[in-house]
Structure formats: C-alpha cells, structure tokens
Amino acid sequence: MSALVVLKSPARHGWYLTWLHTVRDVVAELDLGLLGVVAPSKGHGPDFLWPSPAGPRTTIEDDLAQVRRTDPGIVAAELAAQARRLDPRTVPDGLYQTLTGDPLAARDTLVAQQRLAWQALVAPLWDRIRGLLDADITTRSRQLADGGLEGLFADLHQRAVWHNDELHLTGLRHAVLDLRGRGLVLVPTAFGWPHLGIGPTDSTSASPPALVYPVLGAAKLWERAVPSSAISRLLGAGRASVLAETFVPGTTSGLAGRVGLAPATVSQHLSVLRDAGLVSASRRGREVLYRQTPLAAALLRGESP
C-alpha cells in the first residue's frame, strides 16, 4: 500500500526515482482499478487495507487473509468514507458503483488487486527489502532493551517524541489515542520516507494501531553493490560480488538471485566469508540471514579497520 502511495504521487517521493524507473514498464500494464481509487495519494485511506502485522515474520498471505476476514460492515463504512473524500467525476462510473456497492464483492476485488500489486511492485525486491526490515527490527529491539521507550523513540522519526510517558506525534490531526492495553505495533517500511503514519486510530478497533515509519538505511535498497577491482582481485569476482551485496542483509537464495550465481556457489562463498569474519549470520525462522560485518564494510570502503 505504501508503494502505491509513492506511485500515485511520484513528485512527492523523489527518494524513489530509481524504483519508479525500474517498475515503469510493469506499471504501464498493471490495472489495479478499484485499489488505485482507494489508495490515498496523501492523507487518510481505508484502515482495513493496512492490517497491523502479527509479528516480524508475517507474510503477504497472512496480511491478505487478514484483509479478507474484515467484517463487511467495516468494509462498507470505510469505503463509504473514502467515497465521500473523492470527486465522483474523477472516478469511472463502474468503479464508483463497486466502491459504494456490495462490500463483500469490493473486499474480494481489493484483496485480489493487492496480490497483483505485491507481485508486480514489491516481490522482485522482497529479499533486499526484508533484509533491511530485519536489520531495522534488530536495531530497534536493542534500543528498547538498552534505553527503554525513551531510547527507542530517540531516533525513530523526528515527528515522534517520547515525553512524560506519552508518545507525541506531530504533523497529524489533533487527537488523543488511548491504547487501552492493546499496545502499539512498530512497522518499518521501505516506501514511507520521509513520512510517518498511524492507524487504525478508531478507539473501538480491536486491532492494535500500527506506527509506520521509514526503515533505517532505505537508500541502500536503490544503490548498486559494486566491489572495487582491487577487492575483486583479492577475493575473486564471485566472492567479492556476494560480499558487496550483503550490505543489504539477505538469505543464500536471495543473494544468489541478486548476484546471478547458483545457490550452492553462493553458500560456499558465504562459508568462506563468514570464517574470515567478513559476514555474520542470524537466524530468521527457518532461514539464515547474512550481512556484512564492520570489518567488511571498512574493507569495501578502502579504510583501515
């Protein structure tokens, strides 16, 4: 959904020009119809389309299943609110009728189009995105453990300030949200820079609100990992390319796809690089995520460790 917001207002999101250029041809053939109408270019949109993840290993299918389970009454109310925010003259008649018609049909259409958007816009980059998200979660968890909530929110976002046991968010409409013991889910996103969002904000919602903020190091997603010729001569071209690519954490299969080598070959390279202290490994469910160590980062930059 955040990627769709970027698509609808590319001029407001100059950070993503590289990604926009990459998906340009795909977008030209992508007909999202109803989803394109309800995805906000700014401001507010239907909350049920942005489900709060149940945990850090939530999958796209988990999210889509959650959207599909949304009560039809909630769907009807939120789509009606979205319809009131739109100018009917700018929406094709058929889509406006679907938006204000049978909520079950609208919900199923939106879920199907969310899956299409995922497959076309996000899935090709998901290994790199997921690696960056995992790195962010690891960093935030350490901040929370070391400094509590004050330490966690110290650099989460310039518009989020922890003060007097309250989280103050600036730049949003004035309101007070009582979490009522529901908690607050922190959700890093690769497509949110430089914005901050929160929802659902309805005090009657059973789901905990999610605070969506830009992931740490988002610019890395669009940078090309190219090792220097000296590093390539030292390590060999294949091993050097694998090491350079781990500046965004990734799995063996994901790294293989990114560097164009067989997974078995990449696995061998990672084993050697790990023994040399140039990559570290951390488990994520059934997968292992590899990332550069500070020593490797210094080596690739040509600095003294």
Side-chain angles (χ1 to χ4, degrees):
M1 294 302 295
S2 297
L4 288 175
V5 171
V6 174
L7 275 183
K8 291 188 72 170
S9 301
R12 298 177 63 235
H13 301 274
W15 191 273
Y16 300 100
L17 292 178
T18 301
W19 174 75
L20 288 165
H21 177 77
T22 301
V23 300
R24 181 177 54 192
D25 294 340
V26 175
V27 170
E29 300 178 1
L30 192 64
D31 181 12
L32 297 179
L34 187 63
L35 186 61
V37 170
V38 301
S41 56
K42 60 180 179 178
H44 194 68
D47 282 334
F48 78 92
L49 293 174
W50 307 67
S52 299
R57 288 192 288 275
T58 296
T59 67
I60 182 62
E61 292 303 325
D62 294 331
D63 277 341
L64 293 177
Q66 190 172 339
V67 176
R68 195 182 296 109
R69 289 193 300 268
T70 307
D71 182 272
I74 294 175
V75 174
E78 294 191 0
L79 292 185
Q82 179 70 6
R84 290 192 293 271
R85 289 189 284 265
L86 298 172
D87 182 349
R89 295 169 297 181
T90 64
V91 182
D93 289 341
L95 290 180
Y96 197 82
Q97 291 173 3
T98 302
L99 181 64
T100 56
D102 180 4
L104 286 175
R107 184 189 65 188
D108 292 346
T109 297
L110 288 166
V111 169
Q113 292 179 357
Q114 281 185 313
R115 178 176 279 106
L116 286 176
W118 158 267
Q119 292 169 344
L121 304 176
V122 182
L125 281 171
W126 181 238
D127 182 77
R128 295 189 101 201
I129 291 174
R130 184 58 191 264
L132 211 57
L133 298 177
D134 278 343
D136 183 284
I137 291 169
T138 299
T139 299
R140 303 301 181 189
S141 298
R142 186 180 305 116
Q143 289 174 333
L144 180 61
D146 293 343
L149 291 170
E150 186 174 355
L152 173 64
F153 288 110
D155 69 344
L156 187 86
H157 195 281
Q158 62 182 0
R159 287 169 41 203
V161 178
W162 183 259
H163 180 64
N164 290 338
D165 292 332
E166 294 177 336
L167 180 62
H168 297 259
L169 306 178
T170 60
L172 303 174
R173 65 182 178 85
H174 180 71
V176 176
L177 179 60
D178 185 351
L179 297 177
R180 296 183 295 111
R182 292 176 297 167
L184 179 69
V185 182
L186 300 185
V187 184
T189 175
F191 292 95
W193 190 88
H195 304 295
L196 184 75
I198 187 170
T201 56
D202 183 353
S203 61
T204 63
S205 174
S207 300
L211 184 66
V212 184
Y213 63 92
V215 67
L216 285 169
K220 292 182 179 180
L221 284 173
W222 326 118
E223 295 176 4
R224 290 190 62 194
V226 181
S228 68
S229 58
I231 297 298
S232 295
R233 291 196 303 271
L234 175 66
L235 300 177
R239 193 167 295 158
S241 66
V242 172
L243 179 61
E245 194 61 43
T246 57
F247 80 116
V248 173
T251 61
T252 299
S253 58
L255 291 167
R258 281 146 58 176
V259 300
L261 296 173
T265 302
V266 171
S267 180
Q268 292 174 354
H269 289 329
L270 288 170
S271 179
V272 173
L273 292 169
R274 186 178 181 184
D275 289 344
L278 296 177
V279 300
S280 62
S282 58
R283 184 160 293 279
R284 184 185 68 192
R286 297 181 179 179
E287 298 177 318
V288 177
L289 203 67
Y290 296 91
R291 69 190 73 199
Q292 287 177 6
T293 62
L295 173 62
L299 178 67
L300 291 167
R301 291 194 300 266
E303 301 173 357
S304 260

